[in-house]
Short mmCIF file of all heavy atoms in Angstrom, two decimals:
data_model
loop_
_atom_site.label_atom_id
_atom_site.label_comp_id
_atom_site.label_asym_id
_atom_site.label_seq_id
_atom_site.Cartn_x
_atom_site.Cartn_y
_atom_site.Cartn_z
N VAL A 52 55.00 69.00 239.46
CA VAL A 52 54.40 67.81 238.86
C VAL A 52 54.78 67.74 237.38
O VAL A 52 54.37 68.58 236.59
CB VAL A 52 52.86 67.84 239.02
CG1 VAL A 52 52.24 66.63 238.34
CG2 VAL A 52 52.49 67.88 240.49
N ARG A 53 55.58 66.76 237.05
CA ARG A 53 55.99 66.54 235.67
C ARG A 53 55.88 65.05 235.37
O ARG A 53 56.06 64.22 236.26
CB ARG A 53 57.44 67.00 235.44
CG ARG A 53 57.68 68.48 235.68
CD ARG A 53 57.03 69.34 234.60
NE ARG A 53 57.35 70.75 234.79
CZ ARG A 53 56.68 71.58 235.56
NH1 ARG A 53 55.64 71.11 236.24
NH2 ARG A 53 57.02 72.85 235.68
N LEU A 54 55.60 64.73 234.11
CA LEU A 54 55.44 63.33 233.72
C LEU A 54 56.71 62.53 233.98
O LEU A 54 56.66 61.39 234.44
CB LEU A 54 55.05 63.25 232.24
CG LEU A 54 54.79 61.84 231.70
CD1 LEU A 54 53.65 61.18 232.47
CD2 LEU A 54 54.46 61.89 230.21
N THR A 55 57.87 63.15 233.71
CA THR A 55 59.12 62.44 233.93
C THR A 55 59.34 62.15 235.42
O THR A 55 59.84 61.08 235.78
CB THR A 55 60.30 63.27 233.39
OG1 THR A 55 60.25 64.58 233.98
CG2 THR A 55 60.21 63.38 231.88
N ARG A 56 58.95 63.07 236.27
CA ARG A 56 59.10 62.86 237.72
C ARG A 56 58.14 61.78 238.21
O ARG A 56 58.49 60.98 239.08
CB ARG A 56 58.86 64.16 238.47
CG ARG A 56 59.91 65.22 238.20
CD ARG A 56 59.69 66.46 239.05
NE ARG A 56 60.70 67.48 238.79
CZ ARG A 56 60.76 68.66 239.40
NH1 ARG A 56 59.84 68.95 240.31
NH2 ARG A 56 61.70 69.53 239.10
N ILE A 57 56.94 61.79 237.67
CA ILE A 57 55.98 60.75 238.05
C ILE A 57 56.51 59.37 237.68
O ILE A 57 56.45 58.42 238.46
CB ILE A 57 54.62 61.01 237.38
CG1 ILE A 57 54.01 62.31 237.91
CG2 ILE A 57 53.67 59.84 237.60
CD1 ILE A 57 52.71 62.71 237.22
N LYS A 58 57.07 59.24 236.47
CA LYS A 58 57.63 57.97 236.05
C LYS A 58 58.79 57.56 236.93
O LYS A 58 58.95 56.38 237.26
CB LYS A 58 58.08 58.06 234.59
CG LYS A 58 56.95 58.19 233.59
CD LYS A 58 57.49 58.27 232.17
CE LYS A 58 56.37 58.36 231.14
NZ LYS A 58 56.89 58.47 229.76
N SER A 59 59.61 58.52 237.32
CA SER A 59 60.74 58.23 238.19
C SER A 59 60.29 57.71 239.55
O SER A 59 60.84 56.75 240.08
CB SER A 59 61.60 59.48 238.37
OG SER A 59 62.65 59.25 239.28
N VAL A 60 59.26 58.35 240.12
CA VAL A 60 58.74 57.90 241.41
C VAL A 60 58.15 56.50 241.30
O VAL A 60 58.36 55.65 242.18
CB VAL A 60 57.67 58.90 241.92
CG1 VAL A 60 56.96 58.33 243.15
CG2 VAL A 60 58.31 60.23 242.26
N LEU A 61 57.44 56.22 240.21
CA LEU A 61 56.86 54.89 240.02
C LEU A 61 57.94 53.83 239.89
O LEU A 61 57.81 52.73 240.43
CB LEU A 61 55.95 54.89 238.79
CG LEU A 61 54.68 55.74 238.87
CD1 LEU A 61 53.91 55.67 237.56
CD2 LEU A 61 53.80 55.28 240.02
N ARG A 62 59.01 54.16 239.17
CA ARG A 62 60.11 53.19 239.00
C ARG A 62 60.80 52.89 240.33
O ARG A 62 61.21 51.76 240.59
CB ARG A 62 61.13 53.71 237.98
CG ARG A 62 60.69 53.55 236.54
CD ARG A 62 61.87 53.73 235.60
NE ARG A 62 62.46 55.05 235.74
CZ ARG A 62 62.13 56.11 235.01
NH1 ARG A 62 61.19 55.98 234.08
NH2 ARG A 62 62.71 57.27 235.19
N SER A 63 60.95 53.90 241.19
CA SER A 63 61.65 53.71 242.45
C SER A 63 60.76 53.10 243.53
O SER A 63 61.26 52.77 244.61
CB SER A 63 62.20 55.05 242.95
OG SER A 63 61.15 55.97 243.16
N ASN A 64 59.47 52.94 243.25
CA ASN A 64 58.55 52.35 244.23
C ASN A 64 57.77 51.19 243.63
O ASN A 64 56.57 51.04 243.86
CB ASN A 64 57.58 53.42 244.76
CG ASN A 64 58.27 54.49 245.59
OD1 ASN A 64 58.51 54.32 246.77
ND2 ASN A 64 58.61 55.59 244.93
N GLN A 65 58.45 50.36 242.86
CA GLN A 65 57.78 49.26 242.19
C GLN A 65 57.21 48.25 243.18
O GLN A 65 56.14 47.68 242.96
CB GLN A 65 58.75 48.56 241.24
CG GLN A 65 59.18 49.43 240.07
CD GLN A 65 60.10 48.71 239.11
OE1 GLN A 65 60.24 47.49 239.17
NE2 GLN A 65 60.77 49.45 238.25
N GLU A 66 57.94 48.01 244.29
CA GLU A 66 57.45 47.04 245.27
C GLU A 66 56.14 47.50 245.88
O GLU A 66 55.22 46.71 246.08
CB GLU A 66 58.49 46.81 246.38
CG GLU A 66 59.69 46.00 245.94
CD GLU A 66 60.68 46.83 245.14
OE1 GLU A 66 60.50 48.06 245.10
OE2 GLU A 66 61.61 46.24 244.56
N PHE A 67 56.05 48.80 246.19
CA PHE A 67 54.81 49.32 246.76
C PHE A 67 53.65 49.13 245.80
O PHE A 67 52.56 48.70 246.19
CB PHE A 67 54.97 50.81 247.10
CG PHE A 67 53.70 51.47 247.54
CD1 PHE A 67 53.22 51.29 248.83
CD2 PHE A 67 52.97 52.26 246.67
CE1 PHE A 67 52.04 51.89 249.24
CE2 PHE A 67 51.79 52.86 247.07
CZ PHE A 67 51.33 52.68 248.36
N LEU A 68 53.86 49.44 244.52
CA LEU A 68 52.80 49.28 243.53
C LEU A 68 52.41 47.82 243.38
O LEU A 68 51.23 47.49 243.26
CB LEU A 68 53.26 49.85 242.18
CG LEU A 68 53.43 51.36 242.10
CD1 LEU A 68 54.00 51.76 240.76
CD2 LEU A 68 52.11 52.07 242.34
N LYS A 69 53.41 46.94 243.41
CA LYS A 69 53.15 45.52 243.21
C LYS A 69 52.27 44.96 244.32
O LYS A 69 51.39 44.13 244.07
CB LYS A 69 54.48 44.76 243.15
CG LYS A 69 54.30 43.26 242.89
CD LYS A 69 55.64 42.62 242.59
CE LYS A 69 56.58 42.73 243.77
NZ LYS A 69 57.86 42.00 243.54
N TYR A 70 52.50 45.40 245.56
CA TYR A 70 51.72 44.88 246.68
C TYR A 70 50.44 45.67 246.91
O TYR A 70 49.44 45.12 247.36
CB TYR A 70 52.56 44.89 247.97
CG TYR A 70 53.62 43.82 248.00
CD1 TYR A 70 54.96 44.15 247.89
CD2 TYR A 70 53.27 42.49 248.13
CE1 TYR A 70 55.93 43.17 247.92
CE2 TYR A 70 54.24 41.50 248.16
CZ TYR A 70 55.58 41.85 248.06
OH TYR A 70 56.54 40.89 248.08
N SER A 71 50.46 46.96 246.63
CA SER A 71 49.32 47.82 246.95
C SER A 71 48.21 47.73 245.91
O SER A 71 47.03 47.69 246.27
CB SER A 71 49.78 49.27 247.09
OG SER A 71 48.67 50.12 247.28
N THR A 72 48.57 47.70 244.63
CA THR A 72 47.57 47.76 243.57
C THR A 72 46.56 46.61 243.62
O THR A 72 45.35 46.86 243.58
CB THR A 72 48.25 47.82 242.19
OG1 THR A 72 49.13 48.95 242.15
CG2 THR A 72 47.21 47.93 241.08
N PRO A 73 47.00 45.34 243.70
CA PRO A 73 45.99 44.26 243.76
C PRO A 73 45.07 44.40 244.97
O PRO A 73 43.86 44.19 244.85
CB PRO A 73 46.85 42.99 243.85
CG PRO A 73 48.17 43.38 243.29
CD PRO A 73 48.36 44.80 243.69
#
Side-chain angles (χ1 to χ4, degrees):
V52 178
R53 298 290 184 274
L54 182 60
T55 54
R56 294 184 180 180
I57 295 175
K58 291 180 179 178
S59 176
V60 171
L61 293 178
R62 282 195 300 268
S63 60
N64 293 276
Q65 293 182 14
E66 287 78 10
F67 173 78
L68 291 175
K69 182 170 63 175
Y70 287 109
S71 175
T72 303

